[in-house]
Amino acid sequence: MTLTTRPPAASTGPDAELRAPPPSLWRNRDYMFWWSGNAMSLLGSNVSNMAFPLLAIFTTGSVLNAGIIAAAGRIGGLLTLLWGGALADRRSRKVILVVAPALQAVLMGVVTVSLLKGPVHVNLLAGTALLSGLINGVRSGAVLPALRRIVPREQFAARAAQEQGQAMAAQLVGSPLAAVLFSIARCMPFGVDAVSFFFASLGALFIRHPLGPDREPPATGGPDAGKPKRPSVISDIRDGFRVILRHDFLRYTTGWVAVTNLVGNSFLLLVIALLHSRGASPKIIGVTNAGALAGGILGALLAAAILRRMRALRIFQIGGWVYVVSLSLAAILPAPWQIGLATAAFTFASVPTVTVWESYTARLVPDQLTGRVGAASAFCAQSLTWLGLLLAGWLASVWGAPVATLCFAAILVPFAIAAHVAKSLKILRAPLDQVEELPAEVTRG
C-alpha cells in the first residue's frame, strides 16, 4: 500500500477543534480521572501479579504452576476480547469501564478469603484468574475507544508513553510491595488488589465527556423504519480483522507484537525463576525486579525526547536488538543486580518502541472502527501470551531458567533482523503528524 500523508492545511469537520494546540494532558480533567483510577488499579494488579508466582514457587515449588495460573488469565482475556471490542462499538463504554473492575474486585476478594482459610489450591487460583481474564477482555475492548474521546489525536503518542511509564511505575512500586506483603501474610497482596479495582471504577464513573458509542441513524423506510441499522457482532469482529489484513503496516506489526508479547509477558516469570535459581529471597526478588522496572520509567521520561530526535523506524530497529541482547545477558549474568541492569535495558527499550506502534496505529484507524480494530489488534497481540507463560514455566522446570531465557531471546532474533528489511515499516519514515487515516477502500467491506 502506498503511504498517504496529510498536507499542512486547516482541517474541517469534527476535528476542526483540534487545530489549536491542545492543553496539557495534566489539565485534561476527564483524562486525569481515568489516569488516577487506572494508576491505582495497575498498582494493585502488579502487586497480585508478583504475588501469584511467588505463591506458586515458594509454596508449591513449581514454576510450571505459576505459568498455569498466569496463562489462565491470558486465555480468559482472549476468549472475550473480540466480543468486548464489538460491544464497545454498540453499548455504553462508560458502563463497561465502571462495572468490569468492580466484578474483578469481587474475584480478588474470593482469593483473599480462600488463602485466609486454608492451603493454596492451584485449581482455584487458576479458575479465578480465568474469570478475571474474561472480565478484563470485555473491559479492554472499551479502553481505546474511550480514550479516543477524551484525548486529542495529536497527544496519543504522549499518552502512550505516559501510560507505559505509569505501568512501569506501578510495577516498580508493586514488586517490592508485593514481596513485603507476601512476607507478612500471603493473602495480603490479593486483598490490596481487590481494593484497587474499585479505584478504576470510580475513575471511569467521574468522566463527564460522552464516551460513546454514538447512536446510529434509524432506517427511513420499510418494516424496520425507526430502528437503527446494525450489523451482527460477527460482522463487527470481521471488520476489525479485515482492516488489519488489508494494511501492510498493521498486518506486520500485529504479528510482531504477538511474538514480542509472548516474550514480554513471560518476562516477570523468567526473572523470578532466574533469581530463585540463584538463591534469592522473595524480598531480593522484589527489589531486583523493581530496579529493572526503573529502566521502563526512565524510558517513559525520555520517550518524548527520543521520538523528537530519532526517526520512528530507527527506534523500532534499535529496540528489537536491545530486546535480544538484554535477555541474553540476563540469562548468563550471575548476580541479582546484574540481572536487574540487563532487564532494565529491556524495559527501557520497550517504551519508545511500543509507543511508535501504538501512536501510528491510532493515527491510521478511523474513530468509528477503533473498538473493532483495537480489539482485533489486541486479540492478536495477546494470542500467544498464554503459550509463552506455559512454555517459560515448562522450559524453566525441565532445562533451568537460564536456558529458558536464552530460548526466549532467540525467538526475537528474526524480528530484529526483519525490522531492517521489511517494506511494511516504510510508513515509519514519515512523521506521525503527516500520516493520514486509512482510505475508504481499506475500511469498507
Side-chain angles (χ1 to χ4, degrees), residues 215-231:
R215 292 182 179 273
E216 298 182 10
T220 56
D224 294 328
K227 297 181 181 179
K229 295 181 179 179
R230 177 170 289 168

Side-chain angles (χ1 to χ4, degrees), residues 237-247 442-445:
I237 292 173
R238 188 168 55 244
D239 285 345
F241 282 105
R242 188 190 66 247
V243 172
I244 291 173
L245 291 174
R246 287 185 178 180
H247 193 274
V442 175
T443 59
R444 281 202 300 260

Side-chain angles (χ1 to χ4, degrees), residues 374-443:
S377 178
F379 178 85
C380 294
Q382 299 175 27
S383 60
L384 301 177
T385 55
W386 64 274
L387 177 62
L389 289 161
L390 291 177
L391 184 61
W394 179 77
L395 286 173
S397 296
V398 176
W399 300 104
V403 172
T405 306
L406 286 172
C407 289
F408 274 70
I411 292 172
L412 295 178
V413 171
F415 279 94
I417 296 172
H420 295 272
V421 297
K423 295 181 179 179
S424 303
L425 298 178
K426 64 183 180 181
I427 191 174
L428 298 180
R429 300 181 186 275
L432 180 62
D433 59 1
Q434 293 182 15
V435 176
E436 197 171 60
E437 281 187 354
L438 295 178
E441 61 266 23
V442 175
T443 59

Side-chain angles (χ1 to χ4, degrees), residues 3 248-249 252-253 256 306-323 349 352-360 415-432 435:
L3 171 65
D248 48 4
F249 172 77
Y252 176 90
T253 54
W256 166 81
I306 293 172
L307 291 168
R308 284 195 303 268
R309 290 168 172 77
M310 191 180 296
R311 280 192 174 187
L313 180 59
R314 181 61 63 189
I315 294 171
F316 209 81
Q317 292 168 339
I318 294 174
W321 286 112
V322 173
Y323 287 165
T353 306
V354 174
T355 297
V356 166
W357 167 63
E358 286 190 354
S359 55
Y360 275 76
F415 279 94
I417 296 172
H420 295 272
V421 297
K423 295 181 179 179
S424 303
L425 298 178
K426 64 183 180 181
I427 191 174
L428 298 180
R429 300 181 186 275
L432 180 62
V435 176

